[in-house]
Amino acid sequence: MVRWTADHNVYIKILYWGMGGSGKTTVVDTLYRLTKDQKQDIEPTGNLTKIAMASGSTLYFDRGIFRSTKQTKVFYHVYTVAGQSRFSPLRKKIFKGTDGVIFVVDSQTHFFEDNIESLKELKNITRGQLITEIPLILMINKQDLSEVIGEEDFKQVLKDEKLWFEPDHELYIWNPIIYKTCALYEKQQGIIRSFSECARRTGLYQIYGNGKAPVGDNFLKISKEIPDL
Ligand SMILES: Nc1nc2c(ncn2[C@@H]2O[C@H](COP(=O)(O)OP(=O)(O)O)[C@@H](O)[C@H]2O)c(=O)[nH]1
Ligand SMILES: [Mg+2]
């Protein structure tokens, strides 16, 4: 839920979702380091909050707050969930109020089914809001490894889950973009791009769609002139 405060700041909540071990915490770490080191569209304000088990797995969640460097009143609250199945009730809580979801797939072929299970849980919690009210972006992560799936493989999953629209559908323009990524800092790929696209879409849903996916001729006409958020 996008919140406007009395000082006219805007808070947008973006959630990284995916099976345990897919790389969500690493993505946010790398996003933090990249935006702290160099001038980017967002910059971190404060440190990351991480609550982890001794093994390094996320126990509750991770959180970071980032601020748009172009629109300095826009802040992003970025969360990751703990992916293990026993944390399901907790994920439901963390999901509350989410404006945009970045689904992190572990691309290794042997995890294919686990990713689908995680997507089904997300779908269940969001009850039809994905894409229609909550923009969805995908990262097929760990592309630096061998034996990994490609965009087409996961596009088929989205189709099977009715999270993909054909060209004649008005929601076609909001089909999730599937980014090939590597979350490791040294080899990072697609980390900023995937975040920026999710952030951009959450902004457009608010400004032009009143919290829903903006559609129709009017939106298509103006969409060409929309500046970067
Ligand atoms: N090779 C490779 N390893 C990754 C990548 N992303 C994360 N990892 C590793 O996968 C493990 C789990 O990552 P983590 O971020 O804790 O996953 P989370 O459970 O989704 O938060 C860690 O050992 C990471 O270093 C990636 O893109 N490539
Ligand atoms: Mg984690």
Side-chain angles (χ1 to χ4, degrees):
M1 190 187 319
V2 173
R3 290 186 297 123
W4 274 265
T5 54
D7 49 3
H8 302 290
N9 285 336
V10 179
Y11 293 90
I12 294 172
K13 180 169 175 179
I14 294 193
L15 182 62
Y16 285 92
W17 185 284
M19 61 176 278
S22 66
K24 302 173 294 295
T25 299
T26 313
V27 169
V28 176
D29 271 339
T30 298
L31 186 68
Y32 178 85
R33 286 176 68 183
L34 286 172
T35 55
K36 198 171 191 297
D37 296 350
Q38 323 152 6
K39 173 119 175 106
Q40 302 278 359
D41 289 351
I42 55 164
E43 63 188 7
T45 64
N47 295 319
L48 292 180
T49 310
K50 289 200 270 186
I51 308 179
M53 291 181 267
S55 65
S57 284
T58 305
L59 180 54
Y60 293 115
F61 57 81
D62 310 304
R63 188 181 83 156
I65 304 175
F66 296 85
R67 172 194 201 152
S68 165
T69 50
K70 289 182 190 159
Q71 313 284 341
T72 54
K73 288 192 168 292
V74 177
F75 292 83
Y76 298 100
H77 283 193
V78 177
Y79 284 80
T80 81
V81 293
Q84 283 77 9
S85 46
R86 64 183 184 280
F87 295 129
S88 176
L90 188 63
R91 282 196 286 280
K92 206 169 175 177
K93 276 198 190 135
I94 293 168
F95 170 76
K96 264 197 161 177
T98 290
D99 300 300
V101 173
I102 303 175
F103 187 85
V104 184
V105 174
D106 191 321
S107 306
Q108 297 177 90
T109 46
H110 57 279
F111 285 134
F112 198 61
E113 293 299 325
D114 301 85
N115 289 305
I116 297 174
E117 202 177 300
S118 174
L119 184 66
K120 285 192 164 151
E121 184 189 328
L122 173 66
K123 236 183 86 175
N124 206 2
I125 288 178
T126 51
R127 299 202 191 134
Q129 289 176 296
L130 285 177
I131 305 176
T132 55
E133 292 171 35
I134 299 175
L136 176 65
I137 294 295
L138 266 85
M139 303 172 82
I140 44 173
N141 193 38
K142 306 197 185 179
Q143 287 289 313
D144 56 303
L145 300 177
S146 50
E147 310 237 356
V148 291
I149 60 163
E151 294 105 319
E152 288 303 317
D153 301 311
F154 221 80
K155 190 163 148 185
Q156 188 54 48
V157 173
L158 293 174
K159 283 185 177 172
D160 295 344
E161 295 300 325
K162 308 270 181 297
L163 292 170
W164 190 271
F165 298 95
E166 296 304 324
D168 61 348
H169 197 287
E170 62 178 6
L171 287 172
Y172 174 73
I173 53 171
W174 301 112
N175 273 339
I177 298 182
I178 303 174
Y179 292 93
K180 283 184 162 175
T181 65
C182 175
L184 303 178
Y185 183 76
E186 297 72 28
K187 303 185 199 168
Q188 46 89 14
Q189 182 195 348
I191 303 300
I192 295 208
R193 232 175 327 135
S194 45
F195 179 85
S196 298
E197 181 58 20
C198 188
R200 191 181 75 90
R201 290 188 181 198
T202 56
L204 296 179
Y205 276 39
Q206 291 306 319
I207 298 166
Y208 298 102
N210 239 331
K212 293 202 162 70
V215 290
D217 290 344
N218 272 344
F219 176 70
L220 289 179
K221 243 180 265 160
I222 55 169
S223 66
K224 293 177 189 70
E225 289 138 40
I226 295 171
D228 280 353
L229 292 176

